Amino acid sequence: MGANTSQVSDLSDNPSLKALVGTESISENDPFWNQLISFTFISPTSSGDSKLLEEAVIPLAKTLIENNPRTGNFGALVRIFLGRTKELKISTECQDQLFIWQAHNALFMIRCLLKVFIREMSEEELQLQFSYQERAPGFCGETGSEDLLEELLSNLVHLIVEVPLLDITYSILFEAVTSLLVFFSYQLFHKDILRDGIIYQHVMKGRCLSLTSRLVKTLLYNFIRQEKCPPPATHIFEPKAEGGLLYGLASGVASGLWSVFTLGGAGSKAGVDQEHNHLPLSNQSLLLLLVLANLTDGPDWPNPYRQAITCFRNTQDTSSLPVEQPHTFQINFNSLYTALCEQQRSDQATLLLYTLLHQNANMRTYMLSRTDMDNLVLPILEILYHVEERNSHHVYMALIILLILTEDDAFNRSIHEVVLKNISWYTERSLTEISLGSLLILVVIRTIQFNMTRTRDKYLHTNCLAALANMSAQFRCLHQYAAQRIISLFALLSKKHNKVLEQATQSLRGRQGDNTALPDYAQDLNVIEEVIRMMLEIINSCLCNSLHHNPNLVYALLYKRELFEQFRTHPSFQDIMQNLDTVIGFFSQRLEQAGSDLSVERVQEVIMKGAQALPKDRLKKFPELKFKYVEEDQPEDFFIPYVWSLVFNSGVGLHWSPHGIELFSMDSG
């Protein structure tokens, strides 16, 4: 950085940077500042580039930390930036690209230094770095009443909400959003959840509070717009023949910035991460939104950003609220829904979808009223289908979203009316035509089977079975493969039950007279029997409520009827087995009456006619299966470390050495 600098390797020897971090105070009126922020350095947007830059900045920042109490040069740099933010709106209207780019450069330098400051010192020490000013020789101390730290935070928020997103402002808006994330990054260096602090107080109660709804709305719109870094042509200044400063700026913006944003740099990942390098502002805005929404409530005040996220309304909603809600605003729900459907490959978009479905009743009602729910559900199912490639938290979010959706009976009915053709990502079997409901059942069952053989996570099992249970009464026209997989899952559970039972029996025989502790087979059996009970209740719920709509399930049940024999007299299953016995017995008798050597088509015909003839009062009624997602079931502050793991792993303009953040080193799968 510094005038005309363009390589990381140049930083340590740059005379302007040496002066900034050196022992001499530099007046804010000195032409030095204009020269310092007129550089062609390119903001990194990949993890590898950020790490290289950070390593180069660390020694400079440490020197500044040592000298700043005497020189106040860091505070002077901040005030230079603040002075320019007052003109940013006018500069945008006048297309003053040079002024905007210099303001961007000043903020970029502040952000790079802040990252090191935050790693090296407490919030109280950081506030002191903002307070130091130039003093007479031999005197070092703080300023008066001015709170430069709060001034900077407030100006960053103002910049984000007031400066329009255009090609010429894209970079400085990206820096403003990223700088706020850096301020919050103290959490990355603490194992415990931070519930207070200077920055927390400023953002939750200070001058930023009045801009809460505008900030949340702007960040949402940044996510909705999915703007790529503007192409080189939109930045180009007229080159001068002598190749002066303007040409240097143009070449830096037009070629370097574009190539870094679009092609990534050292250490950039393929796939989703690569896509985020194309959309750095959208990605950073979403991360900042999630960080703000998951700040903990104060002792006597709620998180205003979470309030804003939970109560915003559709722009088409003209009704008046009975009670005015704090920080509410209106946004285009159709645009937000479309963006959510398109971006579910990333953890952060899935977490935003969960947050809105769970906490914003207006958005949840709107989503459930859509006639194109397949656009939202299919990406969620694809996440679960590729469970081996996803981190556990992304899988949890996808499952919780399905659980919340299946709480709605209208959703459970409508998904069986949506017919899909040729699902390319489902590779286990060719599905030329299948309902969305049957596909959902297939994917959830596949997730259960994966969990049984790999992760063995009870929480994941619970959510999967709860979603199936919620849907069971509305199962309609199940695809034959979906019906087969339901019974196959029961067969797998039955086999596992018998295996554990045999192990327990053998262990007891072999340990007669042995007083050493036995393996806890009783607990294992209890867990398996709970899952078997749930599967029997799901099958029973379908048979009691929609037997005539599901001949394929009856066919699969009859084909594997021997599976259920052992559970008929089991005390844990006797009551629920009565209905299955009735159905199996009724249809078995009708098939015997139809003759032997029946074709598949003939068997299906007998089943369909029998379904109409079976008296409904022959089946015992059980309470309706209905499960609701309860956030209290999650560990306290579950989402805070998850959000910060996303920030840490995003690699877009942020990189920290991983010491002190064991809590946030989650699997990135």
Side-chain angles (χ1 to χ4, degrees):
M1 288 172 278
N4 300 321
T5 298
S6 59
Q7 300 294 327
V8 170
S9 58
D10 297 336
L11 296 184
S12 59
D13 298 322
N14 182 271
S16 296
L17 291 178
K18 282 185 172 181
L20 173 68
V21 305
T23 57
E24 298 296 323
S25 296
I26 305 170
S27 168
E28 293 171 36
N29 299 318
D30 196 304
F32 163 84
W33 296 106
N34 191 58
Q35 181 187 25
L36 178 72
I37 60 178
S38 297
F39 59 81
T40 62
F41 194 87
I42 300 148
S43 301
T45 60
S46 74
S47 179
D49 291 340
S50 295
K51 186 175 182 180
L52 289 173
L53 174 61
E54 183 177 301
E55 289 171 351
V57 170
I58 286 173
L60 292 167
K62 286 185 174 180
T63 303
L64 181 60
I65 291 170
E66 183 179 339
N67 293 328
N68 189 54
R70 293 184 296 276
T71 66
N73 285 344
F74 178 70
L77 174 61
V78 172
R79 282 187 286 273
I80 293 295
F81 167 72
L82 294 177
R84 289 179 178 264
T85 59
K86 297 171 185 175
E87 311 293 333
L88 271 180
K89 217 171 177 183
I90 298 173
S91 300
T92 303
E93 293 168 0
C94 300
Q95 297 283 301
D96 188 347
Q97 299 179 57
L98 178 58
F99 188 92
I100 295 169
W101 188 244
Q102 287 182 320
H104 160 273
N105 288 347
L107 181 55
F108 174 61
M109 295 179 72
I110 292 168
R111 194 250 293 180
C112 290
L113 292 168
L114 276 174
K115 285 170 64 178
V116 183
F117 285 9
I118 286 170
R119 197 177 72 169
E120 297 292 327
M121 61 184 72
S122 67
E123 285 188 77
E124 291 72 21
E125 291 168 327
L126 177 67
Q127 190 171 39
L128 286 177
Q129 291 294 332
F130 277 88
S131 68
Y132 297 129
Q133 279 193 11
E134 176 187 1
R135 294 293 185 179
F139 181 93
C140 98
E142 307 168 28
T143 66
S145 60
E146 179 189 26
D147 191 337
L148 198 59
L149 172 57
E150 184 177 17
E151 182 76 16
L152 177 57
L153 286 167
S154 176
N155 268 264
L156 289 175
V157 174
H158 273 281
L159 194 161
I160 292 167
V161 303
E162 291 180 354
V163 174
L165 175 52
L166 305 171
D167 288 344
I168 60 173
T169 60
Y170 190 101
S171 297
I172 193 167
L173 288 170
F174 170 79
E175 275 304 321
V177 171
T178 306
S179 295
L180 283 178
L181 272 175
V182 169
F183 269 115
F184 285 115
S185 66
Y186 268 109
Q187 181 63 81
L188 283 167
F189 303 99
H190 292 79
K191 292 183 180 181
D192 297 325
I193 303 300
L194 296 182
R195 303 177 187 278
D196 203 352
I198 295 169
I199 294 165
Y200 174 94
Q201 291 284 342
H202 286 325
V203 172
M204 297 280 268
K205 298 176 69 177
R207 282 184 283 175
C208 298
L209 182 62
S210 62
L211 296 172
T212 295
S213 59
R214 291 180 65 190
L215 178 58
V216 171
K217 184 176 182 177
T218 302
L219 295 174
L220 276 173
Y221 268 126
N222 286 349
F223 167 70
I224 289 169
R225 290 177 65 173
Q226 296 291 309
E227 293 283 354
K228 295 182 179 180
C229 181
T234 61
H235 289 281
I236 293 176
F237 299 94
E238 284 296 320
K240 295 185 178 181
E242 65 273 19
L245 174 62
L246 287 180
Y247 179 72
L249 286 170
S251 62
V253 180
S255 59
L257 181 66
W258 175 243
S259 64
V260 172
F261 271 144
T262 57
L263 302 179
S268 62
K269 298 177 183 178
V272 174
D273 289 346
Q274 188 69 25
E275 186 173 316
H276 287 164
N277 284 342
H278 285 275
L279 307 166
L281 178 60
S282 172
N283 186 45
Q284 294 295 77
S285 295
L286 181 51
L287 288 172
L288 177 58
L289 182 65
L290 293 172
V291 166
L292 290 168
N294 285 281
L295 292 174
T296 56
D297 292 334
D300 54 0
W301 68 86
N303 177 347
Y305 303 96
R306 188 181 302 126
Q307 284 183 312
I309 284 174
T310 58
C311 68
F312 68 77
R313 300 188 297 153
N314 196 351
T315 49
Q316 296 180 352
D317 185 356
T318 56
S319 61
S320 58
L321 294 172
V323 179
E324 187 61 34
Q325 295 171 303
H327 311 298
T328 189
F329 61 90
Q330 290 184 294
I331 199 167
N332 188 307
F333 276 16
N334 180 61
S335 299
L336 179 55
Y337 177 82
T338 301
L340 287 167
C341 292
E342 293 173 350
Q343 299 300 318
Q344 285 308 305
R345 281 169 292 180
S346 75
D347 287 69
Q348 42 266 49
T350 305
L351 182 52
L352 176 63
L353 173 58
Y354 157 78
T355 302
L356 296 178
L357 264 177
H358 179 51
Q359 299 183 7
N360 189 311
N362 302 320
M363 193 69 197
R364 180 171 62 252
T365 301
Y366 175 83
M367 289 186 192
L368 289 169
S369 71
R370 295 283 300 208
T371 57
D372 60 347
M373 278 296 289
D374 52 307
N375 289 336
L376 186 67
V377 175
L378 279 173
I380 298 299
L381 295 183
E382 192 172 353
I383 293 169
L384 294 177
Y385 186 78
H386 296 113
V387 59
E388 302 95 335
E389 303 166 15
R390 301 289 181 177
N391 70 66
S392 59
H393 293 80
H394 201 182
V395 172
Y396 281 142
M397 287 297 98
L399 278 175
I400 293 170
I401 287 167
L402 287 184
L403 179 55
I404 293 172
L405 292 173
T406 60
E407 292 170 12
D408 184 76
D409 286 339
F411 169 83
N412 294 331
R413 286 190 295 271
S414 66
I415 55 176
H416 292 287
E417 298 167 3
V418 179
V419 178
L420 309 168
K421 296 182 184 295
N422 300 314
I423 308 300
S424 58
W425 48 263
Y426 195 96
T427 57
E428 289 176 54
R429 177 167 172 158
S430 176
L431 300 175
T432 54
E433 188 171 288
I434 189 171
S435 71
L436 179 60
S438 289
L439 181 64
L440 196 159
I441 292 166
L442 283 175
V443 172
V444 171
I445 287 176
R446 185 180 184 275
T447 306
I448 293 173
Q449 290 178 324
F450 173 83
N451 186 51
M452 286 176 65
T453 57
R454 304 281 187 87
T455 54
R456 300 182 181 180
D457 187 309
K458 185 180 178 182
Y459 183 74
L460 190 146
H461 254 23
T462 302
N463 279 306
C464 286
L465 292 168
L468 289 176
N470 285 346
M471 298 188 325
S472 59
Q474 277 85 34
F475 282 173
R476 294 289 188 277
C477 303
L478 291 184
H479 191 281
Q480 62 179 11
Y481 187 50
Q484 290 169 16
R485 298 308 292 164
I486 291 173
I487 304 303
S488 295
L489 176 58
F490 186 84
L492 183 64
L493 291 166
S494 175
K495 183 178 178 181
K496 193 173 182 65
H497 178 270
N498 293 341
K499 183 179 178 180
V500 175
L501 193 59
E502 184 181 348
Q503 288 174 336
T505 305
Q506 290 178 351
S507 181
L508 283 170
R509 287 173 182 166
R511 288 172 175 263
Q512 290 180 354
D514 187 349
N515 295 325
T516 57
L518 282 169
D520 198 353
Y521 290 115
Q523 184 178 354
D524 290 346
L525 268 177
N526 186 50
V527 170
I528 295 169
E529 288 178 0
E530 283 180 9
V531 177
I532 289 175
R533 170 81 189 190
M534 179 71 84
M535 282 303 301
L536 287 171
E537 289 181 344
I538 289 167
I539 296 170
N540 178 69
S541 175
C542 176
L543 296 177
C544 288
N545 292 282
S546 54
L547 183 146
H548 57 291
H549 288 301
N550 292 290
N552 285 329
L553 182 62
V554 176
Y555 184 97
L557 196 63
L558 293 171
Y559 190 73
K560 292 285 188 179
R561 55 192 156 201
E562 73 281 354
L563 284 173
F564 301 90
E565 291 288 338
Q566 63 175 308
F567 300 107
R568 182 174 292 151
T569 57
H570 195 292
S572 298
F573 312 120
Q574 276 182 317
D575 59 337
I576 204 79
M577 279 300 301
Q578 290 178 16
N579 282 346
L580 271 71
D581 277 343
T582 299
V583 170
I584 291 171
F586 176 83
F587 284 98
S588 295
Q589 185 180 24
R590 293 185 75 92
L591 288 172
E592 287 173 9
Q593 293 171 354
S596 58
D597 298 326
L598 301 177
S599 66
V600 172
E601 291 76 15
R602 176 62 180 145
V603 172
Q604 289 176 331
E605 182 184 345
V606 172
I607 290 173
M608 292 182 74
K609 288 182 179 178
Q612 302 297 328
L614 177 64
K616 289 187 177 180
D617 58 8
R618 292 273 302 273
L619 300 180
K620 179 184 175 182
K621 287 291 182 184
F622 285 84
E624 182 184 10
L625 291 178
K626 200 50 100 174
F627 294 87
K628 289 183 72 69
Y629 167 69
V630 181
E631 191 173 27
E632 284 70 25
D633 292 341
Q634 297 281 8
E636 186 184 12
D637 300 320
F638 171 85
F639 295 105
I640 296 175
Y642 179 36
V643 168
W644 277 106
S645 75
L646 299 180
V647 176
F648 181 74
N649 292 327
S650 71
V652 184
L654 291 169
H655 187 279
W656 288 271
S657 300
H659 64 276
I661 56 164
E662 289 86 350
L663 177 63
F664 304 98
S665 299
M666 298 183 177
D667 56 319
S668 54

